[in-house]
PDB file of all heavy atoms in Angstrom:
ATOM      1  N   GLY Y  82      85.272  56.990 134.556  1.00 92.00           N
ATOM      2  CA  GLY Y  82      86.632  57.561 134.646  1.00 92.00           C
ATOM      3  C   GLY Y  82      86.697  58.646 135.743  1.00 92.00           C
ATOM      4  O   GLY Y  82      87.777  59.334 135.826  1.00 92.00           O
ATOM      5  N   GLN Y  83      85.715  58.924 136.433  1.00 92.00           N
ATOM      6  CA  GLN Y  83      85.698  60.205 137.262  1.00 92.00           C
ATOM      7  C   GLN Y  83      85.478  59.705 138.832  1.00 92.00           C
ATOM      8  O   GLN Y  83      85.014  58.662 139.118  1.00 92.00           O
ATOM      9  CB  GLN Y  83      84.597  61.142 137.020  1.00 92.00           C
ATOM     10  CG  GLN Y  83      84.813  61.670 135.573  1.00 92.00           C
ATOM     11  CD  GLN Y  83      85.937  62.552 135.363  1.00 92.00           C
ATOM     12  OE1 GLN Y  83      86.455  63.088 136.271  1.00 92.00           O
ATOM     13  NE2 GLN Y  83      86.408  62.569 134.061  1.00 92.00           N
ATOM     14  N   THR Y  84      85.941  60.545 139.803  1.00 91.00           N
ATOM     15  CA  THR Y  84      85.801  60.318 141.094  1.00 91.00           C
ATOM     16  C   THR Y  84      84.753  61.170 141.809  1.00 91.00           C
ATOM     17  O   THR Y  84      84.487  61.111 142.955  1.00 91.00           O
ATOM     18  CB  THR Y  84      87.195  60.496 141.917  1.00 91.00           C
ATOM     19  OG1 THR Y  84      87.595  61.797 141.756  1.00 91.00           O
ATOM     20  CG2 THR Y  84      88.141  59.549 141.423  1.00 91.00           C
ATOM     21  N   GLN Y  85      83.995  61.892 140.992  1.00 89.00           N
ATOM     22  CA  GLN Y  85      83.009  62.927 141.419  1.00 89.00           C
ATOM     23  C   GLN Y  85      81.614  62.369 141.124  1.00 89.00           C
ATOM     24  O   GLN Y  85      81.426  61.790 139.924  1.00 89.00           O
ATOM     25  CB  GLN Y  85      83.090  64.199 140.894  1.00 89.00           C
ATOM     26  CG  GLN Y  85      84.569  64.914 141.330  1.00 89.00           C
ATOM     27  CD  GLN Y  85      84.518  66.231 140.631  1.00 89.00           C
ATOM     28  OE1 GLN Y  85      83.828  67.107 140.952  1.00 89.00           O
ATOM     29  NE2 GLN Y  85      85.704  66.356 139.883  1.00 89.00           N
ATOM     30  N   ALA Y  86      80.616  62.309 141.974  1.00 92.00           N
ATOM     31  CA  ALA Y  86      79.377  61.757 141.770  1.00 92.00           C
ATOM     32  C   ALA Y  86      78.411  62.677 142.598  1.00 92.00           C
ATOM     33  O   ALA Y  86      78.725  63.560 143.284  1.00 92.00           O
ATOM     34  CB  ALA Y  86      79.192  60.378 142.243  1.00 92.00           C
ATOM     35  N   PHE Y  87      77.033  62.460 142.250  1.00 91.00           N
ATOM     36  CA  PHE Y  87      76.057  63.189 142.987  1.00 91.00           C
ATOM     37  C   PHE Y  87      74.981  62.300 143.605  1.00 91.00           C
ATOM     38  O   PHE Y  87      74.528  61.309 142.857  1.00 91.00           O
ATOM     39  CB  PHE Y  87      75.357  64.245 142.071  1.00 91.00           C
ATOM     40  CG  PHE Y  87      76.216  65.304 141.547  1.00 91.00           C
ATOM     41  CD1 PHE Y  87      77.205  65.152 140.579  1.00 91.00           C
ATOM     42  CD2 PHE Y  87      76.344  66.522 142.309  1.00 91.00           C
ATOM     43  CE1 PHE Y  87      78.104  66.132 140.241  1.00 91.00           C
ATOM     44  CE2 PHE Y  87      77.150  67.481 141.987  1.00 91.00           C
ATOM     45  CZ  PHE Y  87      78.038  67.393 140.863  1.00 91.00           C
ATOM     46  N   VAL Y  88      74.619  62.508 144.745  1.00 90.00           N
ATOM     47  CA  VAL Y  88      73.565  61.742 145.451  1.00 90.00           C
ATOM     48  C   VAL Y  88      72.390  62.796 145.983  1.00 90.00           C
ATOM     49  O   VAL Y  88      72.697  63.727 146.693  1.00 90.00           O
ATOM     50  CB  VAL Y  88      74.069  61.007 146.726  1.00 90.00           C
ATOM     51  CG1 VAL Y  88      73.011  60.290 147.349  1.00 90.00           C
ATOM     52  CG2 VAL Y  88      75.190  60.123 146.339  1.00 90.00           C
ATOM     53  N   ASN Y  89      71.315  62.652 145.309  1.00 87.00           N
ATOM     54  CA  ASN Y  89      70.118  63.579 145.601  1.00 87.00           C
ATOM     55  C   ASN Y  89      70.717  65.157 145.451  1.00 87.00           C
ATOM     56  O   ASN Y  89      70.353  65.901 146.426  1.00 87.00           O
ATOM     57  CB  ASN Y  89      69.538  63.349 146.862  1.00 87.00           C
ATOM     58  CG  ASN Y  89      68.687  62.079 146.792  1.00 87.00           C
ATOM     59  OD1 ASN Y  89      68.403  61.526 145.744  1.00 87.00           O
ATOM     60  ND2 ASN Y  89      68.282  61.530 147.906  1.00 87.00           N
ATOM     61  N   GLY Y  90      71.525  65.457 144.568  1.00 82.00           N
ATOM     62  CA  GLY Y  90      71.961  66.740 144.263  1.00 82.00           C
ATOM     63  C   GLY Y  90      73.221  67.163 145.048  1.00 82.00           C
ATOM     64  O   GLY Y  90      73.719  68.251 144.855  1.00 82.00           O
ATOM     65  N   SER Y  91      73.760  66.465 145.962  1.00 85.00           N
ATOM     66  CA  SER Y  91      74.894  66.782 146.733  1.00 85.00           C
ATOM     67  C   SER Y  91      76.157  65.832 146.137  1.00 85.00           C
ATOM     68  O   SER Y  91      76.037  64.787 145.825  1.00 85.00           O
ATOM     69  CB  SER Y  91      74.760  66.311 148.248  1.00 85.00           C
ATOM     70  OG  SER Y  91      73.740  67.188 148.733  1.00 85.00           O
ATOM     71  N   ARG Y  92      77.246  66.602 146.085  1.00 86.00           N
ATOM     72  CA  ARG Y  92      78.466  65.986 145.622  1.00 86.00           C
ATOM     73  C   ARG Y  92      78.966  64.845 146.427  1.00 86.00           C
ATOM     74  O   ARG Y  92      78.989  65.133 147.735  1.00 86.00           O
ATOM     75  CB  ARG Y  92      79.484  66.905 145.249  1.00 86.00           C
ATOM     76  CG  ARG Y  92      80.765  66.210 144.714  1.00 86.00           C
ATOM     77  CD  ARG Y  92      82.001  67.210 144.419  1.00 86.00           C
ATOM     78  NE  ARG Y  92      81.610  67.949 143.299  1.00 86.00           N
ATOM     79  CZ  ARG Y  92      82.362  69.033 142.898  1.00 86.00           C
ATOM     80  NH1 ARG Y  92      83.398  69.330 143.683  1.00 86.00           N
ATOM     81  NH2 ARG Y  92      82.053  69.636 141.864  1.00 86.00           N
ATOM     82  N   SER Y  93      79.414  63.837 145.945  1.00 89.00           N
ATOM     83  CA  SER Y  93      80.019  62.740 146.646  1.00 89.00           C
ATOM     84  C   SER Y  93      81.421  62.477 146.047  1.00 89.00           C
ATOM     85  O   SER Y  93      81.586  62.445 144.689  1.00 89.00           O
ATOM     86  CB  SER Y  93      79.285  61.501 146.611  1.00 89.00           C
ATOM     87  OG  SER Y  93      79.936  60.410 147.255  1.00 89.00           O
ATOM     88  N   THR Y  94      82.619  62.410 146.776  1.00 90.00           N
ATOM     89  CA  THR Y  94      83.791  62.131 146.226  1.00 90.00           C
ATOM     90  C   THR Y  94      84.230  60.693 146.537  1.00 90.00           C
ATOM     91  O   THR Y  94      84.444  60.388 147.691  1.00 90.00           O
ATOM     92  CB  THR Y  94      84.844  63.167 146.935  1.00 90.00           C
ATOM     93  OG1 THR Y  94      84.414  64.418 146.718  1.00 90.00           O
ATOM     94  CG2 THR Y  94      86.187  62.881 146.423  1.00 90.00           C
ATOM     95  N   LEU Y  95      84.446  59.914 145.353  1.00 92.00           N
ATOM     96  CA  LEU Y  95      84.908  58.581 145.522  1.00 92.00           C
ATOM     97  C   LEU Y  95      86.431  58.449 145.753  1.00 92.00           C
ATOM     98  O   LEU Y  95      87.067  59.270 145.174  1.00 92.00           O
ATOM     99  CB  LEU Y  95      84.468  57.818 144.235  1.00 92.00           C
ATOM    100  CG  LEU Y  95      82.814  57.536 143.981  1.00 92.00           C
ATOM    101  CD1 LEU Y  95      82.137  58.866 143.958  1.00 92.00           C
ATOM    102  CD2 LEU Y  95      82.800  56.677 142.821  1.00 92.00           C
ATOM    103  N   ASP Y  96      86.814  57.406 146.347  1.00 90.00           N
ATOM    104  CA  ASP Y  96      88.349  57.324 146.402  1.00 90.00           C
ATOM    105  C   ASP Y  96      88.987  56.590 145.243  1.00 90.00           C
ATOM    106  O   ASP Y  96      90.213  56.415 145.227  1.00 90.00           O
ATOM    107  CB  ASP Y  96      88.724  56.727 147.730  1.00 90.00           C
ATOM    108  CG  ASP Y  96      88.128  55.293 147.904  1.00 90.00           C
ATOM    109  OD1 ASP Y  96      87.362  54.828 146.972  1.00 90.00           O
ATOM    110  OD2 ASP Y  96      88.476  54.572 148.816  1.00 90.00           O
ATOM    111  N   ILE Y  97      88.180  56.160 144.196  1.00 92.00           N
ATOM    112  CA  ILE Y  97      88.662  55.518 143.090  1.00 92.00           C
ATOM    113  C   ILE Y  97      87.606  55.789 141.937  1.00 92.00           C
ATOM    114  O   ILE Y  97      86.509  55.829 142.162  1.00 92.00           O
ATOM    115  CB  ILE Y  97      88.855  54.021 143.329  1.00 92.00           C
ATOM    116  CG1 ILE Y  97      89.698  53.327 142.119  1.00 92.00           C
ATOM    117  CG2 ILE Y  97      87.664  53.298 143.569  1.00 92.00           C
ATOM    118  CD1 ILE Y  97      90.120  51.896 142.402  1.00 92.00           C
ATOM    119  N   PRO Y  98      88.172  56.032 140.722  1.00 94.00           N
ATOM    120  CA  PRO Y  98      87.126  56.330 139.672  1.00 94.00           C
ATOM    121  C   PRO Y  98      86.255  55.269 139.318  1.00 94.00           C
ATOM    122  O   PRO Y  98      86.616  54.078 139.520  1.00 94.00           O
ATOM    123  CB  PRO Y  98      88.094  56.698 138.484  1.00 94.00           C
ATOM    124  CG  PRO Y  98      89.376  56.996 139.069  1.00 94.00           C
ATOM    125  CD  PRO Y  98      89.554  56.139 140.351  1.00 94.00           C
TER     126      PRO Y  98
END
Side-chain angles (χ1 to χ4, degrees):
Q83 300 294 331
T84 58
Q85 299 178 62
F87 290 84
V88 180
N89 287 349
S91 295
R92 177 183 288 172
S93 174
T94 301
L95 289 62
D96 60 356
I97 190 169

